[in-house]
Amino acid sequence: MESRKVTEQEAKDLMAFCKKKDVYYIDLRLELVDHLAHSIEEHWVENPKATFSEALQVVYKRFGIFGFLDVVGVHQDRMTKRYLKQLWQTVLVILAWPRVLGFLLGSLVLFQSMTHFLIMQQVGVWIFILMVLVGSISNTLQYFRNKKILGKETTVLMKSPVQGLFWFDYFFVQIIIRPHFWNAENLFSEWSPLLWTLLIAGSFLFFTANYLIQVKSKDLLMELKSQLA
């Protein structure tokens, strides 16, 4: 006798069940649905007369009271590590030969000009501020473009670049709200050329890589949307 399988409607019921249990991310819900469906089918092998609802309750109880929350946490941690790995890999792509020569040459020219000309340090400050603003706006707009693909749904993959953007901007705001940082003695000290070169170069790499990750994730979101159709 062929073992009973979870139907398409029952899979949709599992999606609704996971959402009811506060599993907000659609990619995590899909992962949990696969896990629940497999466990339910295993339960039916031993208890073929059990209804779908009965089997679901048995399987769900195996998670324990906080089981679903633990699964969500593990998945989010895994996706965060994946994002950081993607960020680093994308930075390496940006700095691939021969582009790395242009990047290093541009950084060197910026450093030398700020070392020899005080006005270039002032220009460097505004370059950094402008880069943060433009980078934040462009990344945020791309996030909302991606968000339209899934409507009201969201994924851990979509959230990770936004979290990275949040922490970078948080770092930027912390600089802004510290008056002692902006006094002339600190702002244009002997270390200023190196500081602003590192901040500008680091900002360029972060915002560019973060944007490229979001653009790349668009294809993954389209694939995910087709699974939900």
Side-chain angles (χ1 to χ4, degrees), residues 12-25 28-34 36 56 68:
K12 291 181 179 179
D13 292 340
L14 287 176
M15 286 287 287
F17 176 81
C18 290
K19 189 172 184 177
K20 186 178 179 180
K21 296 299 180 181
D22 296 330
V23 182
Y24 298 110
Y25 304 112
L28 176 53
R29 256 184 270 153
L30 285 170
E31 186 174 299
L32 287 173
V33 165
D34 287 341
L36 289 172
L56 173 58
F68 261 49

Side-chain angles (χ1 to χ4, degrees), residues 190-228:
E190 59 179 321
W191 294 101
S192 295
L194 179 60
L195 171 65
W196 292 115
T197 300
L198 292 175
L199 285 175
I200 292 170
S203 299
F204 171 79
L205 290 176
F206 171 77
F207 285 115
T208 303
N210 209 53
Y211 181 81
L212 292 176
I213 289 173
Q214 293 204 67
V215 171
K216 186 178 179 180
S217 70
K218 181 179 179 180
D219 294 333
L220 298 176
L221 292 172
M222 292 297 293
E223 181 181 342
L224 184 57
K225 183 179 180 179
S226 66
Q227 295 180 33
L228 298 174

Side-chain angles (χ1 to χ4, degrees), residues 35-187:
H35 178 79
L36 289 172
H38 180 70
S39 298
I40 287 172
E41 289 168 357
E42 286 185 338
H43 180 74
W44 278 335
V45 172
E46 300 175 359
N47 303 274
K49 294 184 179 181
T51 66
F52 170 75
S53 297
E54 292 171 343
L56 173 58
Q57 290 305 315
V58 170
V59 170
Y60 176 67
K61 287 180 180 178
R62 294 175 188 169
F63 280 94
I65 298 176
F66 300 105
F68 261 49
L69 294 178
D70 291 339
V71 172
V72 171
V74 169
H75 184 78
Q76 286 183 280
D77 289 343
R78 186 165 68 245
M79 291 299 291
T80 299
K81 291 178 181 178
R82 178 183 170 188
Y83 161 68
L84 293 174
K85 183 178 179 180
Q86 281 184 322
L87 187 66
W88 175 244
Q89 291 174 337
T90 306
V91 167
L92 292 180
V93 171
I94 296 171
L95 296 179
W97 184 268
R99 288 190 295 269
V100 64
L101 288 180
F103 177 79
L104 292 176
L105 181 61
S107 299
L108 181 60
V109 169
L110 181 63
F111 173 73
Q112 289 296 333
S113 63
M114 286 192 290
T115 299
H116 293 91
F117 304 101
L118 179 61
I119 191 172
M120 285 304 300
Q121 293 187 34
Q122 298 172 346
V123 172
V125 173
W126 286 108
I127 290 176
F128 172 65
I129 293 174
L130 183 63
M131 189 169 293
V132 172
L133 292 176
V134 172
S136 298
I137 291 171
S138 61
N139 273 264
T140 301
L141 289 176
Q142 185 59 40
Y143 166 75
F144 282 111
R145 292 190 197 102
N146 287 354
K147 192 172 177 61
K148 287 182 179 179
I149 297 175
L150 296 178
K152 295 182 180 181
E153 299 288 3
T154 188
T155 69
V156 179
L157 182 63
M158 285 174 60
K159 185 179 179 182
S160 294
V162 176
Q163 284 183 318
L165 183 64
F166 169 81
W167 286 114
F168 191 101
D169 287 343
Y170 175 78
F171 163 74
F172 176 66
V173 170
Q174 288 301 310
I175 292 178
I176 290 178
I177 64 177
R178 298 180 188 277
H180 67 276
F181 181 86
W182 295 99
N183 65 55
E185 184 177 349
N186 291 330
L187 202 59

